[in-house]
Amino acid sequence: MSSNSKRPIDDAPTRTRPLAASVATLSGAFALTVSDGPDKGKTFALDGSRASRVLVGKSPACELRLADPHVSRRHLALDVVTSGLRITDLNSANGTFVNGIRVHDATLHGGELIRLGDSTLSVVLVHTSEPAIVSTAMRFGRVIGQSAEMRRPRVRPGGYP
């Protein structure tokens, strides 16, 4: 093939693999402790039972409110996912740092330090439960979802699914 020849474009669609009959995912609980800053000593628990992500910032809309003047109103979001604790910076003014590295989106596993403004949050993996068997169903009524996150069992307060 000469250097002037163009390679043909492969227009074939990407093939997907069928999902396993039962997919096991680990679910964990995390504890956040403000280890430095105006709210030093404040703690917050996270587990996979919440239907939506947890907002951290100064706004009354945030579940974890900080009094730090260098923290944005809605600074970051936390979500327990199958692979750990997902942290997402919400375009904060001063950024979010995990173990000294600026992050926009990352997955934490416990043992990390999150720095936002003049505050530091310590992340601790409290426990990891037994793997949950995830449904193989791809739809629930009109809702369609193939990812393990969409198919994982949800537990309401009180233990009822």
Side-chain angles (χ1 to χ4, degrees):
M1 184 176 234
S2 70
S3 60
N4 294 338
S5 299
K6 293 186 179 180
R7 297 183 111 177
I9 297 174
D10 184 8
D11 287 334
T14 302
R15 291 181 286 169
T16 58
R17 293 185 179 131
L19 294 170
S22 64
V23 178
T25 61
L26 291 178
S27 57
F30 295 87
L32 298 174
T33 303
V34 181
S35 55
D36 194 16
D39 297 292
K40 186 175 182 175
K42 191 176 201 175
T43 60
F44 190 80
L46 286 159
D47 63 19
S49 67
R50 296 180 192 279
S52 62
R53 59 190 188 169
V54 172
L55 298 177
V56 179
K58 294 189 301 189
S59 169
C62 296
E63 289 187 69
L64 178 51
R65 288 182 64 188
L66 299 174
D68 187 336
H70 295 106
V71 169
S72 296
R73 287 181 302 235
R74 292 184 184 177
H75 197 101
L76 61 88
L78 298 167
D79 191 19
V80 177
V81 295
T82 56
S83 56
L85 180 64
R86 183 177 182 186
I87 181 172
T88 306
D89 183 88
L90 301 175
N91 296 319
S92 62
N94 293 316
T96 300
F97 299 83
V98 175
N99 294 341
I101 299 170
R102 187 172 189 153
V103 297
H104 296 284
D105 192 5
T107 303
L108 310 181
H109 304 285
E112 298 87 357
L113 294 175
I114 303 170
R115 185 83 173 166
L116 59 159
D118 290 330
S119 298
T120 303
L121 305 176
S122 301
V123 180
V124 176
L125 175 63
V126 178
H127 68 82
T128 301
S129 64
E130 292 296 317
I133 301 301
V134 178
S135 171
T136 58
M138 296 299 166
R139 61 183 326 135
F140 180 77
R142 292 174 37 179
V143 177
I144 299 173
Q146 184 172 337
S147 70
E149 184 64 25
M150 286 291 294
R151 295 179 296 113
R152 76 181 169 100
R154 307 283 185 198
V155 179
R156 295 180 190 204
Y160 300 105

